[in-house]
Amino acid sequence: MIIKRNHNFHLVDQSPWPLIAALGAFIIVTGLTKWFIISNHNLLFIGLTCLTITTYQWWRDVTREGTFQGLHTLYVIKGLRWGIILFITSEVLFFFSFFWAFFHNRLSPTIEIGLLWPPSGIIPFNATQVPLLNTLILLSSGISVTWSHHALIENNFTQINQAIFVTILLGIYFSFLQGVEYYEASFSIADSSYGASFFVTTGFHGLHVLIGTSFLIVCFIRILIGHFSSSHHFGFEAAAWYWHFVDVVWLLLYVNMYWWGR
């Protein structure tokens, strides 16, 4: 059945996914509380499973609407662009709060931690070792994701497959090295304001790297099955913007927390 419209906008159909996603997020928060208090993570896994399945189903519907049903017109894509811009702006403010807390503690350490930064007894990471390697990895991934974007614009699918695959590998390698760094750390999140600032900020950045890597994996699969073209690829463009945001946040983390903050 052909549906005729007299406008260029996409009026979305009724969907259960926002409600189920909100329920999954609520279960995750409740599960985290239960895990922290009684060390039981069963509810957390239920919430994560619910949110993961819902995310897959929701992305599937959006992919169908944009790729097969032709509902993502130029006006709709313009709205999606503004949506991802506002989303990244909110993420900037999210990390701004963590940097604010770090600078406050760094510039005026309290008497409870001996008026020292880092506090006495804490051995910070050497900025020229694993953190520097992670910086080079993320900078390289920023280059490769830009390469893949330009290859897509030029309809060079051989290069885009190579470039995005390299970006995904670099993202996974970064996450692995950060996990090793956490495992070998001489301090924990409970070690004064230094440990809290360090692990909360770098931990949330690491979570964003995992999300960005997942985003790129989805785009890679969609490229392999022919969902993108040189003129219709906003899904990949949004992933590239998000990845560049992750790169910039890490540069600020490295300069301030690993180098100047130690």
Side-chain angles (χ1 to χ4, degrees), residues 7-126:
H7 59 81
N8 293 319
F9 301 100
H10 177 205
L11 304 179
V12 297
D13 299 325
Q14 292 182 348
S15 171
W17 309 132
L19 180 61
I20 298 176
L23 178 63
F26 174 76
I27 295 174
I28 287 174
V29 174
T30 307
L32 280 171
T33 305
K34 184 179 179 182
W35 182 30
F36 291 160
I37 295 175
I38 62 175
S39 300
N40 187 316
H41 46 63
N42 294 336
L43 192 59
L44 175 62
F45 284 148
I46 293 174
L48 288 172
T49 302
C50 176
L51 193 60
T52 301
I53 295 174
T54 304
T55 301
Y56 170 78
Q57 300 280 64
W58 202 345
W59 283 359
R60 179 206 61 187
D61 289 352
V62 173
T63 300
R64 287 174 177 173
E65 293 166 356
T67 306
F68 303 115
Q69 297 176 336
L71 297 175
H72 288 181
T73 62
L74 293 177
Y75 285 100
V76 174
I77 292 175
K78 183 179 179 181
L80 293 173
R81 281 199 172 93
W82 275 109
I84 196 68
I85 288 171
L86 292 174
F87 169 69
I88 293 177
T89 302
S90 70
E91 294 283 63
V92 170
L93 297 176
F94 177 74
F95 278 99
F96 179 79
S97 64
F98 295 133
F99 280 109
W100 184 305
F102 170 77
F103 285 127
H104 176 79
N105 293 321
R106 170 68 175 84
L107 295 174
S108 57
T110 62
I111 193 171
E112 286 81 8
I113 59 175
L115 302 176
L116 296 173
W117 192 268
S120 179
I122 289 183
I123 304 174
F125 291 103
N126 190 331

Side-chain angles (χ1 to χ4, degrees), residues 120-192:
S120 179
I122 289 183
I123 304 174
F125 291 103
N126 190 331
T128 61
Q129 294 179 352
V130 174
L132 179 59
L133 177 59
N134 269 343
T135 303
L136 295 176
I137 289 171
L138 275 191
L139 289 177
S140 301
S141 70
I143 295 172
S144 60
V145 79
T146 304
W147 169 28
S148 63
H149 189 198
H150 283 278
L152 180 56
I153 293 174
E154 297 172 0
N155 277 327
N156 190 333
F157 287 94
T158 300
Q159 286 194 10
I160 186 177
N161 289 337
Q162 295 171 349
I164 197 170
F165 183 70
V166 168
T167 306
I168 292 169
L169 287 181
L170 290 173
I172 294 173
Y173 189 34
F174 175 92
S175 298
F176 169 75
L177 288 178
Q178 190 169 37
V180 172
E181 184 180 66
Y182 282 179
Y183 180 77
E184 296 179 347
S186 62
F187 57 95
S188 71
I189 193 173
D191 285 323
S192 73

Side-chain angles (χ1 to χ4, degrees), residues 83 123 125 179 184 200 211 222 224 229 249 262:
I123 304 174
F125 291 103
E184 296 179 347
V200 169
I211 294 172
R222 294 187 65 191
L224 292 177
S229 67
V249 171
R262 66 188 294 270

Side-chain angles (χ1 to χ4, degrees), residues 95 98-99 102 131 135 138 174 178 182 197-206 209 246-261:
F95 278 99
F98 295 133
F99 280 109
F102 170 77
T135 303
L138 275 191
F174 175 92
Q178 190 169 37
Y182 282 179
S197 297
F198 177 85
F199 280 104
V200 169
T201 310
T202 59
F204 271 114
H205 175 267
V209 171
V246 169
D247 286 350
V248 172
V249 171
W250 175 258
L251 287 176
L252 294 174
L253 272 173
Y254 175 73
V255 171
N256 291 292
M257 290 196 171
Y258 285 97
W259 183 62
W260 178 70

